[in-house]
């Protein structure tokens, strides 16, 4: 069915280009210099949301040309038919509001999840486009490339959600913080990555506590070309102060090795406006809670035991409550945010807030006014397409977690938990659901190699182009020599430097699958590292940041590569839980 007021636009895919990882497409040598002989490389496919927005304005008839022009044509046809009324084909009826074309929009809800943005309704297209603020997606120098499409041509989708604590505006200052913070740059108070599987069957939402110590890579502010140098062991929420949300994106990419397609950011007042527009989100506490103490700590949230619909300022208080939940840290706050998001998604997917056009218009105005997004999401049409992707995911296959972490310095801050955090990131990179409910494929018979290994062309590429760790020079050369020692005499090095977390072996078609698997076995690599790719022409080995030294592939410490580490605060999208109230903040 075609939606009223806008025509669906299918995704367009670019022809694959070199896997150079650079934003300007210029190949760089693996040792940092320009490459003279790049050789065959893997390409970076275009995302499904890169298509330009459709123009929903009328053609030839002004803004009223859609519904009224059609009505006039039907009237003339009736008159020419000798008074006989022509039978009209059944289909969707067009609706009008004050003579302006409008469209049905049911998807932004799931895209803005944590910060209360939800969308569904009849939108004034051009007006709402003007509400949306835009910024650069990535301010770093990452060479991380977009994941290869699967056999069906599908790619996963990763969206970073940011809640900023800007207090420079009067309305934001009233909602939280002190006047001394009014002149400082905003911090990324909330950070969550939404990963949607390539087949859209499941979704993982992973939070990183705002006080997590990480390396913030060098970022350049596009507004004034100010360069912010790399910082080590810095709070991740300060990344927003290094030029804007694009530096927070760059920090996540370097920490997790996950390619990020889009970001969406909202401030305090935006959360309040959208929570008002949505009409409240049900949340639950297991005891009376008052987030306030004599030292001025707390969000001010006050609720009695049980379930309550929160909206406006109270919704913001819930999302910001640290003192009063669990152990009074950001870990408990992340749990409360997950519960709020999960409840909102269930409520809106049930359709309870989608029946009143007036309320939907208020919600659309609030959501678009509150949002700052990357240029790839800068129109209602693009948000609409994104939302259509997201709403395909059933709530029962939505998993919300906090990055595995551990306290340091007597609980002053947290750091990623060794092994477990990287294991979690690896599962997301490899599009494996954290709920463990992916369909288990029967082990396929391993095909035989198509030719003698001495005759098989193999391309080896250095994928250690990390802006945090720096490139490990000579990896393509060293591993090419090792592959040749194993009998692959036609192995050659591709000197273009790229970046990826995991070492992979790609093959161009089914005929070469057996060859790629044989190479993986010879190197001691798992079958899961072998993938079919439409953008390579030969069997291609990319040496990732998990193999930065030596010629023996490092064995994984995990007993089961597809099994997620134990994470205590995992929440399923269908679960209804109550937040545990800290006894010191009850009444």
């Amino acid at each position: 069915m075609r939606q009223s007021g806008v025509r669906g636009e299918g995704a367009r895919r670019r022809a694959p280009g070199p896997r150079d990882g650079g934003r300007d497409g210029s190949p760089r040598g693996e040792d940092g210099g320009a490459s003279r002989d790049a050789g065959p490389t893997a390409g970076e496919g275009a995302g499904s949301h890169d298509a330009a927005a459709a123009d929903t304005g009328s053609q030839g008839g002004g803004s009223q040309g859609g519904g009224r022009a059609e009505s006039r044509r039907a009237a003339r046809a009736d008159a020419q038919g000798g008074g006989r009324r022509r039978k009209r084909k059944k289909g969707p009826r067009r609706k009008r509001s004050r003579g302006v074309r409008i469209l049905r929009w049911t998807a932004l809800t799931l895209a803005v999840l944590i910060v209360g943005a939800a969308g569904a309704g009849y939108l004034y297209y051009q007006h709402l486009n003007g509400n949306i603020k835009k910024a650069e997606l990535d301010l770093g120098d990452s060479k991380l490339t977009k994941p290869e499409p699967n056999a069906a041509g599908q790619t996963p989708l990763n969206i970073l959600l940011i809640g900023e604590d800007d207090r420079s505006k009067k309305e934001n200052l009233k909602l939280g913080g002190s006047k001394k913070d009014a002149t400082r740059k905003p911090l990324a108070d909330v950070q969550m990555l939404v990963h949607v599987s390539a087949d859209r069957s499941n979704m993982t939402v992973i939070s990183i506590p705002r006080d997590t110590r990480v390396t913030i890579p060098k970022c350049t502010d596009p507004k004034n070309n100010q360069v912010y140098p790399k910082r080590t062991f810095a709070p991740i929420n300060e990344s927003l102060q290094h030029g804007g949300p694009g530096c927070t994106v760059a920090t996540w990419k370097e920490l997790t090795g996950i390619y990020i397609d889009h970001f969406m950011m909202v401030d305090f007042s935006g959360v309040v406006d959208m929570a008002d527009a949505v009409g409240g989100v049900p949340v639950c506490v297991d005891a009376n809670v008052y987030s306030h103490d004599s030292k001025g700590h707390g969000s001010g949230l006050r609720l009695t035991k049980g379930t309550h619909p929160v909206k406006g300022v109270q919704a913001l208080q819930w999302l910001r409550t640290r003192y009063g939940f669990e152990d009074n840290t950001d870990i408990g706050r992340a749990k409360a945010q997950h519960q709020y998001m999960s409840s909102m998604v269930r409520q809106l997917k049930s359709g309870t807030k989608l029946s009143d056009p007036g309320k939907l218009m208020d919600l659309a105005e609030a959501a678009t006014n509150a949002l700052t997004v990357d240029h790839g999401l800068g129109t209602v049409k693009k948000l609409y397409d994104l939302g259509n992707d997201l709403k395909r995911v059933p709530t029962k296959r939505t998993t919300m977690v906090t990055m595995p972490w551990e306290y340091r310095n007597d609980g002053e801050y947290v750091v990623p938990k060794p092994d477990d955090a990287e294991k979690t990131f690896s599962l997301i990179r490899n599009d494996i659901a954290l709920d463990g409910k992916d369909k288990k494929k029967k082990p396929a018979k391993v095909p035989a190699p198509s030719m003698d290994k001495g005759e098989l062309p193999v391309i080896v590429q250095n994928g250690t182009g990390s802006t945090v760790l720096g490139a490990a020079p000579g990896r393509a050369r060293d591993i090419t020599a090792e592959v040749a020692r194993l009998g692959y005499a036609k192995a050659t090095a591709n000197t273009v430097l790229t970046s990826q977390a995991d070492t992979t072996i790609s093959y161009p078609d089914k005929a070469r699958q057996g060859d790629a698997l044989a190479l993986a076995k010879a190197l001691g690599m798992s079958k899961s590292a072998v993938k079919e790719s439409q953008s390579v022409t030969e069997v291609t080995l990319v040496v990732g940041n998990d193999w930065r030294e030596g010629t023996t592939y490092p064995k994984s410490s995990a007993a089961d590569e597809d099994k997620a580490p134990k994470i205590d605060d995992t929440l399923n999208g269908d679960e209804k839980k109550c937040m545990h109230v800290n006894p010191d903040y009850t009444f």
Side-chain angles (χ1 to χ4, degrees):
M1 180 182 295
R2 189 173 67 187
Q3 303 290 349
S4 174
V6 63
R7 303 186 68 173
E9 178 178 78
R12 297 195 293 269
R13 187 176 299 280
R14 297 197 307 265
R19 178 182 280 179
D20 53 39
R23 290 181 293 174
D24 59 2
S26 303
R28 299 182 61 187
E30 63 170 304
D31 297 323
S35 170
R36 288 173 293 187
D37 183 14
T41 62
E44 179 179 351
S48 63
H49 302 292
D50 291 339
D55 181 1
T56 60
S58 59
Q59 299 179 5
S63 62
Q64 300 174 359
R68 293 183 176 178
E70 184 173 315
S71 298
R72 288 196 293 269
R73 287 194 294 271
R76 287 197 296 270
D78 288 343
Q80 294 169 0
R84 289 183 300 165
R85 188 176 184 85
R86 295 179 63 184
K87 186 175 182 180
R88 186 177 179 180
K89 292 181 179 180
K90 293 183 178 179
R93 295 184 61 187
R94 297 180 181 267
K95 297 189 177 184
R96 293 178 287 123
S97 176
R98 296 189 181 95
V100 182
R101 294 182 68 193
I102 51 183
L103 78 114
R104 183 169 179 79
W105 189 35
T106 61
L108 181 57
T109 301
L110 302 181
V112 193
L113 300 176
I114 182 57
V115 285
Y122 296 95
L123 310 181
Y124 298 109
Y125 185 79
Q126 296 297 346
H127 166 68
L128 292 176
N129 276 346
N131 289 347
I132 302 170
K133 297 175 287 294
K134 295 173 279 292
E136 294 296 323
L137 175 62
D138 187 351
L139 303 185
D141 297 322
S142 174
K143 301 170 189 64
L144 196 64
T145 55
K146 189 175 180 68
E148 291 291 328
N150 60 19
Q154 304 163 314
T155 55
L157 181 64
N158 297 303
I159 309 159
L160 184 62
L161 307 178
I162 303 170
E164 61 159 310
D165 70 347
D166 179 25
R167 293 180 172 93
S168 61
K169 302 174 186 176
K170 290 183 179 179
E171 54 269 35
N172 283 339
L173 192 58
K174 291 178 182 177
L175 295 168
S178 60
K179 291 183 178 180
K180 65 181 178 61
D181 291 329
T183 57
R184 73 155 167 80
K185 294 181 179 179
L187 299 166
D189 213 34
V190 177
Q191 298 178 46
M192 290 187 176
L193 183 71
V194 177
H195 169 82
V196 189
S197 65
D199 62 4
R200 306 305 187 251
S201 68
N202 66 85
M203 180 165 66
T204 297
V205 181
I206 182 168
S207 298
I208 292 182
R210 66 173 185 169
D211 60 357
T212 303
R213 296 307 194 257
V214 299
T215 296
I216 301 175
K218 182 185 79 172
C219 291
T220 303
D221 189 336
K223 295 179 181 178
N224 55 17
N225 292 323
Q226 180 176 352
V227 177
Y228 294 86
K230 180 178 76 173
R231 289 182 58 197
T232 57
F233 214 66
I236 194 171
N237 65 342
E238 293 182 5
S239 59
L240 190 63
Q241 298 181 329
H242 291 213
C247 194
T248 303
V249 169
T251 302
W252 271 74
K253 289 171 72 174
E254 291 299 334
L255 173 67
T256 66
I258 299 169
Y259 182 87
I260 296 177
D261 299 274
H262 301 293
F263 76 82
M264 308 182 84
M265 184 172 73
V266 71
D267 62 12
F268 288 166
S269 60
V271 172
V272 171
D273 290 344
M274 288 184 289
D276 283 342
V278 79
V281 175
V283 295
C284 180
V285 288
D286 66 1
N288 297 346
V289 62
Y290 182 35
S291 179
H292 179 76
D293 65 15
S294 58
K295 297 179 181 179
H297 295 147
S299 68
L301 178 71
R302 186 182 179 95
L303 292 173
T304 56
K305 179 181 178 179
T307 300
H308 305 270
V310 295
K311 61 180 180 179
V313 173
Q314 201 172 46
L316 179 64
Q317 289 172 338
W318 176 276
L319 293 169
R320 298 188 65 233
T321 293
R322 173 176 178 173
Y323 295 96
F325 289 154
E326 305 282 342
D327 60 353
N328 298 330
T329 68
D330 281 320
I331 308 305
R333 169 158 47 190
K335 284 187 179 182
Q337 292 165 352
H338 291 166
Q339 290 190 19
Y340 181 94
M341 179 195 325
S342 179
S343 178
M344 180 192 295
V345 172
R346 288 194 304 269
Q347 183 180 8
L348 288 162
K349 289 193 84 170
S350 71
T352 57
K353 300 296 178 184
L354 308 182
S355 58
D356 186 330
K359 290 182 179 179
L360 295 176
M361 288 302 298
D362 291 342
L363 185 55
E365 286 283 348
T368 53
N369 270 309
L371 284 175
T372 299
V373 301
D374 64 278
H375 293 283
L377 284 181
T379 67
V380 171
K381 173 62 169 63
K382 291 176 181 178
L383 290 168
Y384 170 83
D385 288 343
L386 170 64
N388 274 337
D389 257 357
L390 293 171
K391 71 179 182 180
R392 292 163 54 188
V393 181
T395 54
K396 65 182 180 181
R397 292 299 313 279
T398 298
T399 306
M400 303 177 192
V401 301
T402 300
M403 171 197 74
W405 52 272
E406 62 183 25
Y407 283 121
R408 291 285 176 86
N409 200 26
D410 292 330
E412 180 182 350
Y413 51 81
V414 302
V415 296
K417 188 174 183 179
D419 297 330
D420 282 358
E422 171 55 27
K423 176 62 178 175
T424 304
F425 299 150
S426 177
L427 291 173
I428 294 174
R429 288 194 300 265
N430 290 285
D431 202 20
I432 299 171
L434 265 63
D435 64 4
K437 296 179 181 178
D438 281 340
K439 293 181 179 179
K440 301 296 182 182
K441 297 180 180 178
K442 294 181 180 180
K445 183 179 179 181
V446 177
S450 67
M451 64 182 75
D452 183 85
K453 63 182 179 181
E455 298 298 318
L456 178 71
V458 176
I459 308 298
V460 181
Q461 186 173 10
N462 186 349
T464 65
S466 167
T467 61
V468 170
L469 300 174
R475 295 303 289 157
R477 179 191 64 233
D478 295 346
I479 302 305
T480 297
E482 174 64 11
V483 171
R485 188 189 69 78
L486 293 171
Y488 293 86
K490 290 192 174 182
T492 56
N494 171 0
T495 58
V496 173
L497 179 67
T498 186
S499 178
Q500 63 183 48
D502 307 305
T503 299
T504 59
I505 298 176
S506 302
Y507 58 94
D509 50 49
K510 293 295 183 184
R512 299 290 179 88
Q513 183 181 15
D515 301 302
L517 288 167
L519 175 60
K521 183 178 181 179
L523 289 168
M525 295 173 60
S526 167
K527 293 178 183 178
S528 64
V530 179
K531 305 176 187 298
E532 184 175 357
S533 170
Q534 301 173 1
S535 56
V536 298
T537 56
E538 303 290 353
V539 173
T540 301
L541 166 64
V542 179
V543 185
N545 279 299
D546 60 344
W547 193 9
R548 293 177 61 85
E549 59 184 14
T551 56
T552 300
Y553 182 72
K555 301 292 184 181
S556 171
S557 60
D560 185 344
E561 292 187 352
D562 292 347
K563 186 176 181 180
K566 180 175 175 55
I567 302 175
D568 293 333
D569 61 346
T570 299
L571 179 69
N572 179 273
D574 270 353
E575 288 182 281
K576 297 179 182 179
K577 291 185 176 181
C578 294
M579 279 302 299
H580 174 61
V581 174
N582 188 289
D584 292 337
Y585 289 84
T586 190
F587 65 92

